[in-house]
Amino acid sequence: MPFILLLIGPAAIIYFIARDGLGISMGDSVAYLQMAENIRNSFCVCIYAGCGKRIPIEHWPWGYPLFISFLNPKVANPILAFITNVIILKILEAGKLKGIKAYIGVLVVSLSPVYINVFTHLWSEALFVPILLLTIYFWIKGRLIPLTFLTGAMPIIRYSGIFSWVMAEKPIILVLSTLPFIFWKVRNMLTNALSWRDIAYHPPNSEHLRLFSETLYGFFGINWLWYPESVELKIAIFTFVMVFAILVSKRLKITKPLTLLVSSYGLLLTASITFYDHSTTPNLRILSPIYFLSFILIILAVSRFGNFLFLSILSPIAYGYIRDMRHYRVEGYNSIRFSDPKFVEMLKGLKERYVYSNAPDFIWYRTGIYAEFIPRIYEPHNARKNPNFYEEIEALRDTMAKRNGVIVWINGIHRGYLPDKDYLVKRLKLRLLFEGGDGSIWVYTGLE
């Protein structure tokens, strides 16, 4: 019974933290909800634009929206958390970690900031992580049919899932694994689905490295990883720990897939930032697959030095996780910083007006009203300037004048690719209609 509680307990923590709603991140979470609603109502993999127009979308794959179109994520995430615990336990046991030590390994992973983040937010990683771990388990067991199915499913849950194809040791598995992804890409071409990504060269910069180094604390919570001010030193320490873990556990059968997947995901992420999606940030969410794989590998390595050292290393980490958990809050549009009921009521009164905003996803999520982004200065995914920015600003002015439009500015939403509020007010000669704790509503001069 105590062992069963170690598996169920973390899932209960997830449910307790998210009982008032999962964290809704800016952009992705709302897009998943819109895609799920359209799949459920009309089998259309679409998002909403201004006036509720449905647009076929390629930018986000359809696997996770399909999943939450049938199962409420507030219920699904704790279930997925429990399933993840069971799979981690099976992987640790396959790595010759038996009895209570295996359960302690599961417990430490499931108390970590990355684990809590993944399963308390409406993110595709909540489905992606257990499927990734299950893929590893079937690879160890040599079960080719479920392995083929899962490696085929992963890229249509997250595009980064193509890194799992390195596990296809037979050509037939590789061919079959690529078919769902190919069908998805063909569908997108036939429907002219919208994507903001394209090929452009923009290598990782110092900000990417800084974020990665800060993420290491969320990985393991080890204070000595956090103290060094040098970004390079933090990354060097992490690299040393990983190489040490690989060398110590190299004789275990499970070490090969774990090492292969960590390496391939790291290379894929670097290539994506460099050539495809510059806005990808190496935060806890994006790096969560590396976290789960790395931590399992480190736990297996530490376990080979005996019980005393095993507990001496993992106990302080677990204590740090528990200590910091009381400060944990969900992020995004369900967080306490968006809590002005008067502002939301004012937004609901805009149903008959044409709405522009720096956060149309916030407006739809909180009110169901469709809004349109204000023009972008540059495209965040490839860092290219918008050559039509000034023309689009003038078109926005014309639309506001003809359709009694408004601009809703949401405070605390920093999107550097959009013009700031002061620029819009001055350029468009806007007048303040309402200001609340969460934002402000502006109208074109002469309109009420």
Side-chain angles (χ1 to χ4, degrees):
M1 181 59 72
F3 295 156
I4 299 299
L5 290 177
L6 286 177
L7 296 177
I8 297 177
I13 292 173
I14 297 297
Y15 184 81
F16 177 78
I17 292 175
R19 67 190 186 281
D20 295 326
L22 295 171
I24 304 295
S25 64
M26 304 164 194
D28 286 13
S29 295
V30 176
Y32 293 144
L33 289 172
Q34 291 183 356
M35 293 167 72
E37 181 176 288
N38 282 309
I39 290 173
R40 186 167 53 247
N41 294 338
S42 58
F43 301 104
C44 175
V45 186
C46 303
I47 60 171
Y48 295 116
C51 296
K53 179 183 178 181
R54 293 186 302 179
I55 301 176
I57 189 71
E58 178 186 9
H59 190 79
W60 296 276
W62 58 272
Y64 184 64
L66 177 66
F67 178 76
I68 63 174
S69 69
F70 294 104
L71 189 59
N72 187 327
K74 187 177 178 181
V75 176
N77 278 26
I79 296 174
L80 290 171
F82 171 74
I83 292 172
T84 299
N85 294 344
V86 174
I87 301 171
I88 293 175
L89 176 66
K90 293 297 182 182
I91 290 175
L92 292 176
E93 289 177 343
K96 304 188 184 306
L97 190 60
K98 302 295 184 181
I100 191 170
K101 290 172 66 176
Y103 285 91
I104 290 175
V106 173
L107 181 63
V108 174
V109 173
S110 59
L111 291 174
S112 66
V114 181
Y115 181 100
I116 300 295
N117 256 281
V118 164
F119 292 109
T120 57
H121 287 78
L122 201 148
W123 291 339
S124 56
E125 283 80 4
L127 180 61
F128 184 80
V129 166
I131 288 183
L132 168 62
L133 297 175
L134 192 59
T135 303
I136 295 171
Y137 178 75
F138 282 125
W139 187 93
I140 298 169
K141 295 297 183 181
R143 307 284 179 82
L144 298 185
I145 293 178
L147 177 64
T148 303
F149 175 79
L150 292 171
T151 52
M154 287 176 62
I156 57 175
I157 298 173
R158 287 198 63 79
Y159 286 132
S160 59
I162 63 175
F163 83 110
S164 66
W165 293 345
V166 299
M167 302 182 72
E169 295 186 331
K170 296 185 178 181
I172 186 63
I173 296 179
L174 179 60
V175 171
L176 294 176
S177 297
T178 61
L179 290 180
F181 183 74
I182 293 172
F183 289 153
W184 169 244
K185 300 300 286 186
V186 170
R187 171 265 180 193
N188 293 330
M189 288 188 292
L190 294 177
T191 60
N192 197 26
L194 177 65
S195 177
W196 292 287
R197 298 183 177 102
D198 61 4
I199 302 299
Y201 179 71
H202 30 58
N205 53 35
S206 58
E207 182 65 13
H208 288 97
L209 293 177
R210 183 188 66 80
L211 285 171
F212 173 64
S213 69
E214 290 183 0
T215 300
L216 296 179
Y217 179 76
F219 273 10
F220 307 115
I222 303 174
N223 288 332
W224 52 267
L225 279 177
W226 181 248
Y227 285 142
E229 292 295 331
S230 169
V231 168
E232 292 78 9
L233 183 56
K234 293 177 185 177
I235 295 175
I237 293 173
F238 171 73
T239 304
F240 172 80
V241 170
M242 287 304 302
V243 171
F244 177 78
I246 292 169
L247 292 176
V248 168
S249 57
K250 63 181 180 180
R251 293 184 179 180
L252 298 175
K253 183 179 180 181
I254 193 175
T255 302
K256 178 181 177 180
L258 290 174
T259 306
L260 193 62
L261 288 170
V262 168
S263 303
S264 60
Y265 188 84
L267 291 173
L268 178 67
L269 182 60
T270 303
S272 175
I273 294 172
T274 304
F275 298 106
Y276 196 53
D277 192 350
H278 188 65
S279 65
T280 300
T281 54
N283 53 27
L284 286 182
R285 177 193 174 188
I286 297 299
L287 291 176
S288 57
I290 284 185
Y291 162 77
F292 281 93
L293 300 175
S294 301
F295 210 177
I296 290 172
L297 188 58
I298 289 172
I299 289 172
L300 290 173
V302 171
S303 70
R304 298 178 67 81
F305 290 97
N307 296 340
F308 177 76
L309 187 60
F310 180 80
L311 293 174
S312 298
I313 292 177
L314 294 189
S315 296
I317 297 176
Y319 170 75
Y321 291 159
I322 295 171
R323 179 198 61 201
D324 294 340
M325 195 176 294
R326 66 180 184 275
H327 303 300
Y328 185 81
R329 298 289 186 276
V330 296
E331 300 173 356
Y333 296 147
N334 268 341
S335 64
I336 58 175
R337 65 189 175 112
F338 296 110
S339 57
D340 185 353
K342 291 184 179 179
F343 183 69
V344 173
E345 286 303 313
M346 282 296 298
L347 290 181
K348 291 179 179 178
L350 302 176
K351 201 165 187 177
E352 303 302 321
R353 307 181 79 158
Y354 200 93
V355 180
Y356 287 95
S357 178
N358 66 322
D361 45 354
F362 172 90
I363 296 172
W364 179 83
Y365 177 69
R366 297 300 289 266
T367 68
I369 293 174
Y370 306 110
E372 188 173 332
F373 264 113
I374 55 180
R376 301 180 178 193
I377 300 172
Y378 66 90
E379 174 54 56
H381 300 286
N382 55 34
R384 291 174 178 167
K385 289 185 177 180
N386 177 7
N388 302 316
F389 172 71
Y390 294 107
E391 291 84 351
E392 291 174 4
I393 286 289
E394 294 305 314
L396 182 153
R397 186 207 308 269
D398 294 341
T399 300
M400 291 185 69
K402 294 175 182 177
R403 304 184 64 174
N404 197 24
V406 298
I407 290 180
V408 176
W409 189 268
I410 307 299
N411 296 333
I413 305 297
H414 177 68
R415 286 171 165 149
Y417 53 89
L418 299 178
D420 60 35
K421 181 177 66 176
D422 292 339
Y423 172 85
L424 294 171
V425 171
K426 183 177 180 180
R427 177 67 183 260
L428 300 175
K429 297 180 172 58
L430 302 178
R431 179 168 58 83
L432 182 64
L433 178 65
F434 177 83
E435 185 165 19
D438 291 342
S440 52
I441 302 173
W442 299 81
V443 296
Y444 185 57
T445 302
L447 297 178
E448 297 181 357

